[in-house]
Amino acid sequence: MPMIEVDLQSDTVTRPTREMRQFMCDAEVGDEQKHADPTVNALQETVAELLGKEAALFLPSGTMCNEIALRVHCRHGDEMIAHRTAHPIHFEGGGPAALAGVNVSVLDGPRGQFDAGAVAAAIRPDNRYMPRSRLLWVEQTSNLGGGSIWPLPRIAAVTDVARRQGLRTHLDGARLMNAVVAAGIAARDYAAPFDSAWIDFTKGLGAPVGAALAGSRDFIAEAWRLKQQMGGAMRQAGIIAAGGLYALQHHVKRLAEDHANARRLAEGLAKLPGVVLDPATVQTNIVIFDLRGAGDASAAVAALLARGVRMGAMGPRTIRAVTHLDVNADQIDRALDAARAVLGS
């Protein structure tokens, strides 16, 4: 396999920095199941404060955050309303059906976002023949929407419709901190309209493991029960929780560098005759572009990889590139050199 010089396949490929590794090695630990791990406790308190919620729970993955939230908010046969690109629909192994027994009503809308009218139209009437509309789902930023940022007024509008109809609301905040840094809006302001919210530590924040789910104390108490049931409860978890704590202390502001690198990449790609891309659509760290004419995304990705640059094919003509902690501006220039060789004609 060719040596990968620039890995833009995802921000999940980040590796802990030397300083983060040392912080993790030095972490105080205890039994998290007995609430006796001081580092886990500190991380949970930090996230609860960050998101403006009563409590938070450290979990092994963002997928577990989502699936536990579904199970707490919904009963079997209930329905979740989400954009058709939502992570649980495509990338959680059928978890909503297998683990929560939840039906999904999908909404359309540009760049992974829908509006209040679409939510109102999707909410079911009170009819025993139909699934009960129970939960509204928002993903901030939208992954398959190209890292698009949900504006606060739109969040307020869609959650207001849901709340007036008795639905619960959940924020999938896998890349929430990217939105925070790019828009200059506090995480707690984005999370305020939602009954539950979570953030991931393993993407742009650069930690090796984990995410944290936040909500009311009652919500987190039930989430703890499900964490235990689903095999997510750990013991001396402070070693890995320390990575998330370090990331929140040191790696949030630097997300702006990833956004700048994504814009640099997008502007360079947009100049190539083989690429369809409007750089103005790149708000955070995800760049999605199409190939012109009969361009083949899989072939282009393979040719880029042969030149040491890894991106991901999302469809027959669509490619995704994601900037992150382990990619600097010089590497973006190298990626553009490879793209000119592959896509420049």
Side-chain angles (χ1 to χ4, degrees), residues 62-320:
T63 291
M64 187 171 281
C65 289
N66 279 338
E67 295 302 328
I68 285 178
L70 271 172
R71 292 186 63 192
V72 175
H73 288 308
C74 300
R75 301 165 78 179
H76 274 64
D78 285 347
E79 188 166 79
M80 170 182 79
I81 298 172
H83 196 276
R84 67 172 57 253
T85 60
H87 194 274
I89 298 173
H90 298 281
F91 305 119
E92 297 184 10
L99 301 175
V102 168
N103 198 49
V104 180
S105 176
V106 298
L107 303 184
D108 289 311
R111 308 202 66 215
Q113 301 181 27
F114 46 80
D115 59 24
V119 176
I123 295 174
R124 307 271 189 176
D126 185 9
N127 185 319
R128 65 186 173 89
Y129 291 98
M130 298 180 179
R132 181 184 288 113
S133 298
R134 178 71 75 174
L135 180 66
L136 180 70
W137 192 282
V138 169
E139 184 179 335
Q140 177 78 300
T141 63
S142 172
N143 177 11
L144 297 186
S148 69
I149 300 171
W150 279 75
L152 266 182
R154 177 171 292 176
I155 288 175
V158 299
T159 54
D160 183 61
V161 169
R163 190 173 298 105
R164 283 191 280 108
Q165 295 298 318
L167 274 68
R168 293 156 189 160
T169 55
H170 175 73
L171 177 64
D172 178 334
R175 293 181 176 87
L176 175 61
M177 301 313 293
N178 289 92
V180 167
V181 170
I185 294 172
R188 63 169 43 228
D189 291 337
Y190 278 128
F194 297 93
D195 295 300
S196 57
W198 64 274
I199 58 172
D200 197 288
F201 307 122
T202 68
K203 295 182 173 68
L205 294 180
V209 182
L213 176 65
S216 69
R217 287 188 179 87
D218 287 344
F219 174 89
I220 293 300
E222 182 64 11
W224 241 119
R225 187 184 73 84
L226 296 177
K227 173 182 175 176
Q228 192 80 41
Q229 185 184 87
M230 296 167 70
M234 298 170 279
R235 294 296 181 182
Q236 288 72 36
I239 292 173
I240 54 176
L245 199 56
Y246 184 92
L248 289 176
Q249 293 171 356
H250 299 280
H251 288 173
V252 174
K253 290 182 180 179
R254 63 144 308 279
L255 290 171
E257 299 173 25
D258 298 342
H259 303 162
N261 285 335
R263 288 191 296 272
R264 184 187 187 96
L265 178 66
E267 288 165 1
L269 288 170
K271 296 175 182 177
L272 302 180
V275 169
V276 180
L277 171 62
D278 179 1
T281 63
V282 177
Q283 294 179 286
T284 53
N285 68 322
I286 299 176
V287 180
I288 295 177
F289 60 96
D290 289 337
L291 303 182
R292 293 188 186 277
D296 179 82
S298 294
V301 165
L304 288 166
L305 185 60
R307 290 166 172 79
V309 175
R310 181 157 68 178
M311 298 185 187
M314 294 179 60
R317 293 176 53 195
T318 304
I319 297 174
R320 186 183 78 151

